Amino acid sequence: MRSANPVLDRLDDVGRAERQVLGVGTADTMTVADVVSRTVGLLLVTGVTAAVSWVVVPQAAWISAALAGSALASLALVLVISLKQITSPPVVIGYAVLQGLLLGVASRAFEMVYPGIVVQAVVGTFGVFLGMAVLYRARLVRATPRLARLVIGTLVGIVAIGLVNLFAYLFTGRQGVVVYSLSDRVGWLPYLFSVVAIIAGALSFILDFDLVERSAGRLPRRYAWYCAFGLLVGLIFLYWQILRLLSYVRR
């Protein structure tokens, strides 16, 4: 079964190749605890960087350029790490730092317009994450092939529609399924798009938990960084969707 998170969906193939070529021993393989510890570490790096950028980076005229640059650099790192399956800690930590810079500055902009929204988004993000972890642990929601197809198809559609919407906004100024302004009125379609994105992002964790659990004991320990990176990508995606939905509600 593939993961809904494209960062993690080739781990099974990697595991087979590693065992055939290197003959990985049990003592050298990653564990679930390895993934958890590295995920927590990356979240701390992201959070600290976001806090520093929140305080240090001024709300100046050039901030839009800084945000755009950080977003493009983060996207480039996601593609490189995913396609090359990079397990180097400095590269993965570099992504966490860039995302922290982006999150800190953008979140401050939301907070200035809607006081208290960032805390709500953070609590909502980790609440959803922990809730899905509990459901997975209790086997109340299982990673079935049908769920995988549904979540993967939905996320691919969300990304594709989001990119089309972004380019349409850049060239025409029209806002469709995503409203980028912090003050414009919001119709029912952006609400629906955000809710679907949040549900799909939440369910993707079930598939990711399953794949990480099945990969434990089969991949070299360095791939714990790769798995932690994939989970961080999912958490950041979920945070943006919740933050945007909360801003819609607060208008």
Side-chain angles (χ1 to χ4, degrees):
M1 186 189 304
R2 297 291 184 177
S3 169
N5 188 332
V7 175
L8 302 178
D9 65 1
R10 291 187 293 172
L11 283 184
D12 282 339
D13 296 335
V14 172
R16 284 191 292 269
E18 290 281 356
R19 290 195 301 274
Q20 291 174 358
V21 176
L22 302 177
V24 179
T26 303
D28 297 321
T29 56
M30 77 174 194
T31 64
V32 174
D34 292 331
V35 178
V36 171
S37 63
R38 285 157 178 76
T39 302
V40 171
L42 290 176
L43 287 172
L44 288 175
V45 171
T46 304
V48 170
T49 306
V52 172
S53 65
W54 180 302
V55 175
V56 174
V57 179
Q59 293 290 327
W62 50 268
I63 200 63
S64 297
L67 285 173
S70 298
L72 291 175
S74 299
L75 178 60
L77 270 179
V78 167
L79 294 175
V80 170
I81 294 174
S82 302
L83 295 176
K84 298 295 184 180
Q85 297 179 339
I86 295 175
T87 59
S88 172
V91 177
V92 175
I93 293 173
Y95 168 80
V97 171
L98 280 174
Q99 277 296 331
L101 174 63
L102 179 62
L103 288 171
V105 177
S107 296
R108 183 183 177 189
F110 276 88
E111 184 72 17
M112 291 175 66
V113 179
Y114 306 107
I117 193 173
V118 171
V119 173
Q120 294 173 349
V122 171
V123 171
T125 300
F126 284 103
V128 171
F129 180 78
L130 294 176
M132 300 312 295
V134 171
L135 291 176
Y136 173 76
R137 188 65 178 175
R139 297 298 189 262
L140 295 177
V141 180
R142 296 180 179 273
T144 64
R146 178 178 295 181
L147 178 65
R149 290 192 297 269
L150 176 63
V151 174
I152 292 171
T154 303
L155 287 177
V156 169
I158 288 171
V159 172
I161 294 173
L163 287 174
V164 171
N165 188 85
L166 176 60
F167 283 114
Y169 172 72
L170 292 176
F171 289 104
T172 68
R174 296 182 178 179
Q175 303 181 108
V177 296
V178 179
V179 177
Y180 300 100
S181 169
L182 295 181
S183 58
D184 288 355
R185 296 182 62 182
V186 179
W188 65 270
L189 192 55
Y191 275 99
L192 178 62
F193 187 79
S194 293
V195 170
V196 171
I198 290 172
I199 294 174
L203 290 176
S204 72
F205 288 126
I206 297 295
L207 305 182
D208 293 338
F209 294 152
D210 176 70
L211 190 58
V212 170
E213 186 177 52
R214 288 190 292 111
S215 299
R218 301 168 60 187
L219 289 174
R221 182 168 282 111
R222 69 177 186 274
Y223 277 92
W225 284 103
Y226 187 72
C227 293
F229 165 75
L231 291 171
L232 179 66
V233 170
L235 282 166
I236 291 174
F237 170 81
L238 185 62
Y239 170 80
W240 281 122
Q241 302 306 319
I242 292 177
L243 183 67
R244 183 173 291 118
L245 179 61
L246 288 173
S247 74
Y248 295 165
V249 175
R250 299 268 303 262
R251 302 189 184 201

